[in-house]
Amino acid sequence: MRSETSPLLKVEGLCRNFGGLMAVDTLDFDVHAGEIFGLIGPNGAGKSTTFNVISGFLPPSGGSVRFRGEVLPGGKAAAASRAGLVRTFQHGSYVRSMSVGDNIRLGTVSGTPRPERAGRVREVAALLGLSDKLGETAGTLPHGLQRLVSIAIAIAAQPKLLCLDEPLTGLNETEVGTVLKVLDGYRRAGDRAILLVEHNMKAVMTVCDRILVLHHGTFLATGTPTEIRGNDDVIHAYLGQAHAK
Amino acid sequence: MDNKRKTVLHWGLGGGAAILLSLVLTDPYLRSVLTLMAISALLAASLRFVMLMGELNFALAAFAGLGAYAAGYMNTALSVPFVLALPLAGLFTAVASALFGAITLRAKGPYFLLIGFTFTEAVRVVYSKIPALGGTSGMIGIYPPLSLDDWMAGIVVATSVILLLGLFAAERSDFGRILLAIRENENVARSVGVNTYLCKVIAMSCACFVAGVAGGLHAFVNTVISPGDFSYLLAAFALAYVKVGGENYFLGPIVGAVVLVALSHYAIGLGGSEHFLYGGAIIVAVLLMPSGILGAFGKVGPRSVETKVRAARHAV
C-alpha cells in the first residue's frame, strides 16, 4: 500500500503548548499516498490538538507541517483545505438547518466548477448512501446519518488528505461498515490518503495501514496494526489486554 | 426547473403588482406611504442579509445615511444627474462598508453590534460638523428631475424590487449557503476552503449597497435630509420589520415593513405615538409569533434556504 515516493504529509518536530501545558511535544510522522494512517491514544493524548494544528485551525508553537512538498502556513484553515487537506470535526461538521444536498454542496464551493457541483453532490451522496436524503434537513436526521453527512461534505471537497476526527462515534454496525468501505475505496484511488483519529479499535485495526500512538502529547509507538497490538507500551497505556494479540 | 419557473412567476407577479400599484395610486399621501414602505423594506432586507451570517448590522443607519448624503451632495453640489447619483451612492456606501467590515468583522455578536451602534452615532456627529453637508440642520433641495416627479413612487418601488431580487438571488446561491454555514458552524465553511472573513466582508458590502441606495431614495423622496434621520433607531426599526415579518423568510422584512409602516400611519391618524405600536408589535411578535407573521400564517412565499433555522438553532 505504502508508496516509496515523498510523503503526502510530513510532520516534523511539531509542538503545541497551551500556557504551561505541552499538548503536543516534538511529534514527527509521515502519511503516504494510498494509505490510511491511524492516530490513536487515550483521551488527552493530544490527538485533537495534532489534528487542529495540521489542518490549520491552530497555529503550531514549533515545528512544521509539510503537505505535498510545501510547508503549510500555520493557523490558516481555509488555505490548508484549498491545498487539499480537509478535515471533519468530532462534534459534527455540518449545518443543521440546511438540507443534506445543500450541506454536501458546501464541500464543492471552493474547488469544483459551478456546472459540476450538482453532479458531484449526487455522486458523493450515492457513495455514502444518502441519495434518498438529499432534500431532508440535516438537523432532523438520526445521529448516524448526520455523521455520514459530515464525511460527505469533506469528501465532496475532493481532498488529497482526508482527516477524520472520530467519524465512527455513535454509528451502528451497518453504518460503520458503510464508512469503512468508503474509506477503503477512497484510499484505493492511489493519490490520496486518510488520517484517522478513532476510538473504535476494531475498526482502526481493520482499516488502517499504519498507526501512530500518542500518549501525553508525545510519540509512544508506530507501526502496522499487528505491531501496535503486540506493543507492550501501547497495551499498558491505552489498548489493555482486550485488543492485544 | 419547475421550482425555478415558479420563483420567476412569483417575482413577476409580486414585483409587477407592487410597481403597478405605485403607478395607479393617485392620492399623494398613499403614494408617500407606499414609498416609505418600499424604502423601509429595503433597509430591513439589508439588515436581514447580514443576519444570514449571524451578525446584527447596527451600522445600517450609518450606511443608509452615507448613501443619502452621498446622493444629496452629488446632486446638489456636483450636479450629478439623479439616475447616476443613486447607483453611485450605493457604490460609495458599498466601498465604505467594505472598509468598515474589513476592520470590524473580526468581532462577533454583541461586540460587532456595539461597534455598529457607536459608528452610527459617530457618523451623525461628523455630518453635523461639516458645513458643506448642511451641519445640524441638514441638506436641502435634493430634487429629482421635474419630469420624474410624478413617477417617483414608481421609481422607488421598481428600484426596490430590483435590489430585493438581487438579494434573493444571492441568498439562494452558493454564497447564501456559505453565509448560513458561517452563522451555524463557521468551522465547516473554513474546513472546506472558504475564506469566511472575506465572505463576511462581501456580504456586508452587498447589504450596505442596498442600504446606500435606500438612503439615496430617501434623500430624493424627502428632498431634505438631516443627521437626525439616521440615528440607531433606524436600525432598531429595521430589526422590528424583520422580526415581525419573519426572520426565516425572505419576504419577512417586506411584510414586516408594510404592516408596521401602515400601522404607524394609522396611529398618527389617531393622534397616538406610533412608537408604542412598534413596541407593542414587537412584544406581540416575540411572545405569540416567534417566527413572525409569515411563520404564524403558514408557508407563504419563498422560504429561506430549506429552513427550520430557529428549531435547529435551539436544538444544538
Side-chain angles (χ1 to χ4, degrees):
Chain A
M1 242 10 120
R2 184 178 164 183
S3 78
E4 292 308 319
T5 55
S6 61
L8 198 59
L9 178 78
K10 191 170 183 61
V11 174
E12 284 176 311
L14 194 71
C15 299
R16 173 68 207 196
N17 65 303
F18 298 102
L21 175 75
M22 207 64 183
V24 177
D25 193 358
T26 337
L27 192 63
D28 298 281
F29 66 93
D30 298 340
V31 179
H32 291 258
E35 73 175 344
I36 298 181
F37 190 92
L39 195 58
I40 64 171
N43 285 331
K47 306 182 297 290
S48 289
T49 304
T50 305
F51 236 59
N52 286 338
V53 174
I54 290 174
S55 58
F57 278 82
L58 271 180
S61 311
S64 68
V65 177
R66 197 175 280 275
F67 182 62
R68 300 166 85 184
E70 304 278 331
V71 175
L72 288 179
K76 305 260 185 212
S81 171
R82 283 196 295 269
L85 193 158
V86 177
R87 68 166 295 179
T88 63
F89 293 84
Q90 221 176 86
H91 302 294
S93 33
Y94 60 95
V95 183
R96 295 184 67 89
S97 71
M98 270 178 9
S99 72
V100 172
D102 282 344
N103 263 287
I104 301 176
R105 195 172 166 107
L106 263 185
T108 68
V109 293
S110 69
T112 311
R114 196 177 302 274
E116 294 168 25
R117 288 178 191 166
R120 179 97 195 116
V121 170
R122 283 193 297 273
E123 198 181 297
V124 174
L127 194 67
L128 284 150
L130 292 168
S131 294
D132 57 339
K133 307 282 181 205
L134 284 176
E136 290 190 33
T137 307
T140 62
L141 293 176
H143 176 78
L145 290 180
Q146 290 175 346
R147 289 263 159 189
L148 294 183
V149 173
S150 299
I151 299 170
I153 294 171
I155 288 182
Q158 297 177 285
K160 290 293 175 200
L161 181 66
L162 176 61
C163 301
L164 301 171
D165 199 353
E166 300 190 19
L168 306 177
T169 308
L171 298 194
N172 63 34
E173 285 286 314
T174 321
E175 289 161 345
V176 168
T178 307
V179 173
L180 293 186
K181 214 171 119 189
V182 169
L183 300 191
D184 193 45
Y186 204 79
R187 167 247 314 264
R188 279 178 201 286
D191 61 340
R192 307 181 288 201
I194 294 168
L195 181 60
L196 178 69
V197 167
E198 183 53 57
H199 281 299
N200 181 336
M201 278 308 114
K202 192 177 155 198
V204 169
M205 296 299 170
T206 310
V207 80
C208 288
D209 300 296
R210 287 192 303 141
I211 296 169
L212 172 73
V213 190
L214 283 180
H215 191 44
H216 295 316
T218 57
F219 169 91
L220 184 67
T222 187
T224 63
T226 315
E227 288 165 354
I228 292 298
R229 266 191 300 223
N231 185 307
D232 287 340
D233 290 340
V234 179
I235 293 168
H236 179 70
Y238 181 50
L239 290 181
Q241 288 301 328
H243 288 284
K245 214 177 182 181
Chain B
M1 193 59 205
D2 197 29
N3 265 346
K4 260 187 190 167
R5 220 175 282 168
K6 235 193 241 172
T7 309
V8 171
L9 185 71
H10 285 157
W11 271 95
L13 287 176
I19 295 168
L20 195 67
L21 183 66
S22 66
L23 295 177
V24 297
L25 277 181
T26 47
D27 184 322
Y29 172 71
L30 288 180
R31 271 185 6 198
S32 76
V33 172
L34 185 67
T35 317
L36 185 58
M37 283 173 176
I39 294 172
S40 304
L42 275 185
L43 291 171
S46 165
L47 187 80
R48 181 178 169 278
F49 193 73
V50 178
M51 286 168 79
L52 289 179
M53 66 181 189
E55 300 299 345
L56 258 180
N57 176 22
F58 254 55
L60 177 77
F63 291 116
L66 281 184
Y69 271 93
Y73 188 77
M74 279 189 274
N75 186 252
T76 55
L78 307 175
S79 305
V80 176
F82 166 75
V83 285
L84 259 183
L86 215 50
L88 284 179
L91 277 180
F92 174 74
T93 314
V95 172
S97 65
L99 287 174
F100 173 84
I103 297 165
T104 60
L105 276 166
R106 303 274 184 198
K108 287 182 180 177
Y111 302 101
F112 179 71
L113 186 152
L114 276 172
I115 293 169
F117 169 75
T118 45
F119 180 70
T120 299
E121 295 308 297
V123 169
R124 279 209 308 148
V125 175
V126 173
Y127 297 143
S128 64
K129 302 283 182 201
I130 300 177
L133 297 180
T136 40
S137 50
M139 196 181 263
I140 56 169
I142 310 162
Y143 294 111
L146 258 181
S147 55
L148 294 180
D149 216 26
D150 286 344
W151 303 95
M152 266 316 274
I155 291 168
V156 170
V157 173
T159 309
S160 304
V161 169
I162 292 166
L163 289 175
L164 289 171
L165 187 59
L167 287 180
F168 178 77
E171 182 176 337
R172 285 298 173 102
S173 70
D174 283 339
F175 185 67
R177 290 184 183 95
I178 290 171
L179 295 185
L180 215 58
I182 288 174
R183 170 161 87 181
E184 282 187 46
N185 197 340
E186 187 169 343
N187 280 343
V188 176
R190 292 174 69 203
S191 74
V192 293
V194 173
N195 183 338
T196 53
Y197 167 67
L198 183 66
C199 287
K200 285 182 190 180
V201 174
I202 292 172
M204 177 81 181
S205 187
C206 292
C208 289
F209 175 83
V210 172
V213 176
L217 288 171
H218 168 83
F220 279 109
V221 167
N222 264 27
T223 71
V224 179
I225 50 173
S226 71
D229 297 350
F230 306 106
S231 80
Y232 74 93
L233 272 176
L234 188 145
F237 286 145
L239 180 61
Y241 303 146
V242 174
K243 288 290 182 188
V244 169
E247 178 189 349
N248 296 342
Y249 301 84
F250 182 82
L251 287 181
I254 302 165
V255 170
V258 168
V259 169
L260 286 185
V261 169
L263 217 57
S264 75
H265 278 78
Y266 176 70
I268 291 168
L270 292 179
S273 170
E274 74 268 33
H275 293 221
F276 283 106
L277 268 174
Y278 278 120
I282 294 165
I283 292 169
V284 169
V286 169
L287 293 180
L288 302 178
M289 301 184 289
S291 302
I293 294 170
L294 291 179
F297 293 101
K299 300 168 185 174
V300 186
R303 304 179 74 185
S304 68
V305 193
E306 311 303 338
T307 184
K308 282 183 190 169
V309 174
R310 189 176 299 273
R313 207 184 304 154
H314 288 311
V316 172

